[in-house]
């Protein structure tokens, strides 16, 4: 099925920013259902941001006002812009679309 590859993770200080990318192996005309999830050690995977079927976006309360999801269908890519990062944002971030998961990219927020 569709393959998804995340990139852009790394180590940043609290208050810093990162932009994650998710490249898909097929053309993206409609981002419906495409989203970002994260999983911290010992915790369940949780939804971070997603495109709804009507084209609107939804964010977890913990990231509202700090994160933004966007897409570029010409590049078959969805992005997650993360600003004002906090230590509790530390997790492996996964891209999800069409019943497929990427392998994840590590984000570590620490001073």
């Amino acid at each position: 099925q569709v393959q998804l590859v995340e990139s852009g993770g790394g180590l940043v200080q609290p208050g810093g920013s990162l932009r994650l990318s998710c490249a898909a192996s097929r053309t993206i005309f409609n981002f419906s259902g495409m989203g970002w999830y994260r999983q911290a050690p010992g915790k369940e995977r949780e939804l971070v941001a997603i495109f709804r079927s009507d084209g609107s976006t939804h964010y977890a309360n913990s990231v509202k006002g700090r994160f933004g999801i966007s897409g570029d269908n010409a590049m078959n890519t969805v992005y997650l812009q993360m600003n004002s990062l906090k230590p509790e944002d530390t997790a492996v971030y996964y891209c999800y679309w069409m019943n497929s998961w990427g392998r994840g990219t590590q984000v570590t927020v620490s001073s």
Side-chain angles (χ1 to χ4, degrees):
Q1 207 171 20
V2 63
Q3 292 183 302
L4 305 171
V5 181
E6 303 96 335
S7 62
L11 173 65
V12 297
Q13 295 183 344
S17 298
L18 283 175
R19 189 180 73 163
L20 306 183
S21 298
C22 173
S25 61
R26 59 157 288 177
T27 302
I28 302 173
F29 293 106
N30 191 318
F31 290 97
S32 177
M34 194 168 198
W36 288 94
Y37 294 72
R38 67 185 181 187
Q39 187 167 24
K43 295 186 176 181
E44 295 184 358
R45 190 170 300 184
E46 64 175 349
L47 175 68
V48 176
I50 195 167
F51 286 103
R52 289 171 167 158
S53 59
D54 64 357
S56 64
T57 54
H58 171 80
Y59 298 91
N61 288 334
S62 60
V63 307
K64 284 182 178 178
R66 299 189 298 120
F67 290 11
I69 187 171
S70 62
D72 184 341
N73 53 27
M75 299 299 296
N76 303 324
T77 302
V78 65
Y79 303 95
L80 183 68
Q81 179 67 45
M82 305 186 294
N83 300 319
S84 302
L85 284 162
K86 305 174 181 179
E88 51 263 44
D89 294 318
T90 296
V92 177
Y93 284 70
Y94 298 90
C95 180
Y96 176 84
W97 188 49
M98 295 183 66
N99 299 313
S100 296
W101 293 94
R103 294 179 179 178
T105 184
Q106 177 71 50
V107 172
T108 302
V109 185
S110 177
S111 60

